[in-house]
Amino acid sequence: MFGKKNGTVTEKEILAALSTVQEPELHHDLVSLRMIKDIHINGGQVAFTILLTTPACPLRGQMERESTEAVMAIPGVEQVVVKFDANVRSDERIVGRLQIPIKNIVAVASGKGGVGKSTVSVNLAVALAQQGAKVGILDADIYGPNIPTMMGLTADNLPDPVGGKLVPPMAYGVEVMSMGFLIPPGQAVIWRGPMLHGAIRQLFTDVAWGDLDYLIVDMPPGTGDATLTLAQSVPVTGGVIVSTPQDVALEDAEKGLVAFQKLQVPILGIVENMAGDIFGEGGGQRAAKRLKVEFLGRIYLDRAIREGGDSGRPVVALDPNNPQSESFQTLARVVAGRVSVANFQAAAAPQLKVI
Ligand SMILES: Nc1ncnc2c1ncn2[C@@H]1O[C@H](COP(=O)(O)OP(=O)(O)OP(=O)(O)O)[C@@H](O)[C@H]1O
Ligand SMILES: [Mg+2]
């Protein structure tokens, strides 16, 4: 019978066994994190579901092994089936401040132009969607919006507004919104401070975003007005800094980092992009170490990545088995894991005081 005493194995024993298994990133056990559900016991056969904090969980294999081992150690258990489900936890501040159904906002930025922010944003978004998350991408580069091109979309793909709100078109399983849909191609727009502020804010509030687990925000180059506006307009769950591998990248990464820190945006970590023969590798990793932030991963300089961007078919979507795609898939899992940790820490902080 489901979830009840049957034979010698009990739900209580299973929960006790699973309370010895840690969520490797959150450093708490699966039971106290309320990640165990649907325990089924049938004689010596036990099944349960681990409710992950992200479908892109990098450590599900480890949790599966460890929880199987723990439950198998209960006398009478002959077989263990572990299932997975996911419920991405929300950055509670977003729900409180804006009436938008978005659980987490992740800004991709750098201190410098042309390092691959948009490329990383696009492939990160598509990889998260492939892993089962609900994802949107917001092009906050309102001066030079190129997310539509990279996602293979044009203004023609923009549906008619519904209830006064813009409806984001979908590409590769990702909802996309950009000023690029609204500004005729080739037309330069001069944004003044308040207009810029309004425009970026409207991309959040005047767009009919779906229920998103993650909204990836592709930032314009530099650390100026747009970053300030973003941080003032919405609670940003975390910032991802993109850096190239050269050692000078440290300065740029630091600029990006400082800008976020000043605005109290948590830093998820640094991605090293364009690694390889020409630019070398390791600079991003060294920057992360020196700046004491997480190193999120390395993406190599590769023709398939550039061609994917130019042709509007991101490499992760076009060729998921390409080694570069695998790097982006890994990056997506790492970023999702860091978001879970950021939310967990934010939620745990006041509770710890009470205890
Ligand atoms: N890992 C990579 N391998 C090959 N080409 C890349 C890689 N990353 C980015 N590129 C290419 O480099 C160029 C700049 O990338 P991208 O537009 O993503 O940078 P950006 O930081 O968003 O630039 P901007 O600061 O202008 O917004 C693009 O042509 C892109 O296709
Ligand atoms: Mg860009």
Side-chain angles (χ1 to χ4, degrees):
M1 223 198 273
F2 293 161
K4 284 199 180 155
K5 225 181 216 187
N6 189 332
T8 54
V9 184
T10 65
E11 185 168 314
K12 206 171 154 196
E13 285 175 305
I14 292 164
L15 288 172
L18 291 172
S19 69
T20 66
V21 179
Q22 296 268 308
E23 206 291 349
E25 283 188 301
L26 304 179
H27 305 299
H28 281 71
D29 72 88
L30 300 183
V31 177
S32 58
L33 288 171
R34 298 196 187 151
M35 289 173 67
I36 303 298
K37 60 170 200 173
D38 299 341
I39 300 178
H40 294 193
I41 305 165
N42 186 359
Q45 297 184 329
V46 174
F48 54 88
T49 300
I50 299 180
L51 189 63
L52 300 168
T53 55
T54 169
C57 181
L59 300 156
R60 66 163 78 193
Q62 182 181 340
M63 280 187 268
E64 181 170 12
R65 266 195 318 279
E66 293 181 1
S67 55
T68 302
E69 227 167 73
V71 174
M72 279 304 276
I74 302 169
V77 174
E78 285 152 19
Q79 196 199 7
V80 177
V81 177
V82 183
K83 293 177 199 159
F84 287 97
D85 196 356
N87 179 21
V88 175
R89 297 189 180 180
S90 305
D91 179 342
E92 296 300 333
R93 299 165 310 157
I94 300 174
V95 187
R97 254 176 70 184
L98 289 175
Q99 305 306 315
I100 47 175
I102 298 171
K103 289 184 175 178
N104 295 286
I105 297 172
V106 174
V108 178
S110 69
K112 194 178 154 193
V115 296
K117 292 174 293 296
S118 302
T119 303
V120 167
S121 298
V122 159
N123 284 286
L124 173 63
V126 174
L128 284 167
Q130 285 172 337
Q131 287 161 13
K134 293 188 210 104
V135 189
I137 185 164
L138 188 158
D139 187 353
D141 192 342
I142 61 172
Y143 300 99
N146 47 25
I147 293 296
T149 305
M150 285 186 170
M151 292 294 272
L153 295 169
T154 67
D156 292 342
N157 298 106
L158 190 69
D160 287 334
V162 171
K165 288 197 172 198
L166 291 170
V167 177
M170 287 275 257
Y172 309 106
V174 173
E175 295 186 12
V176 183
M177 189 45 71
S178 169
M179 256 326 142
F181 292 135
L182 307 172
I183 305 165
Q187 187 171 315
V189 178
I190 299 159
W191 296 95
R192 289 182 206 89
M195 281 169 72
L196 173 107
H197 188 87
I200 290 185
R201 206 182 149 81
Q202 279 184 329
L203 288 173
F204 286 94
T205 54
D206 294 357
V207 172
W209 293 108
D211 292 327
L212 300 178
D213 294 322
Y214 307 100
L215 179 67
I216 307 298
V217 183
D218 176 34
M219 299 299 292
T223 53
D225 277 359
T227 313
L228 182 67
T229 295
L230 176 73
Q232 285 176 343
S233 306
V234 292
V236 181
T237 312
V240 168
I241 310 278
V242 181
S243 171
T244 50
Q246 302 95 313
D247 274 323
V248 292
L250 179 65
E251 288 166 32
D252 296 314
E254 191 164 5
K255 271 187 230 156
L257 197 97
V258 168
F260 275 147
Q261 280 170 342
K262 270 192 196 151
L263 297 164
Q264 279 153 16
V265 173
I267 309 293
L268 300 177
I270 295 180
V271 182
E272 180 176 301
N273 184 36
M274 304 191 181
D277 293 345
I278 300 172
F279 298 128
E281 65 180 69
Q285 199 161 11
R286 283 191 289 278
K289 204 168 170 195
R290 290 260 299 274
L291 300 169
K292 296 192 173 57
V293 295
E294 202 82 12
F295 179 64
L296 300 171
R298 172 173 298 133
I299 309 294
Y300 285 94
L301 183 72
D302 189 275
R303 190 193 184 118
I305 297 178
R306 184 181 53 76
E307 286 177 353
D310 290 349
S311 66
R313 289 178 297 178
V315 68
V316 266
L318 189 63
D319 185 7
N321 298 319
N322 178 304
Q324 316 312 330
S325 301
E326 285 167 14
S327 307
F328 282 119
Q329 286 149 7
T330 304
L331 177 70
R333 288 191 203 95
V334 173
V335 169
R338 298 299 304 161
V339 168
S340 297
V341 171
N343 284 334
F344 178 72
Q345 286 170 344
Q351 277 170 25
L352 289 177
K353 276 186 211 148
V354 177
I355 297 162

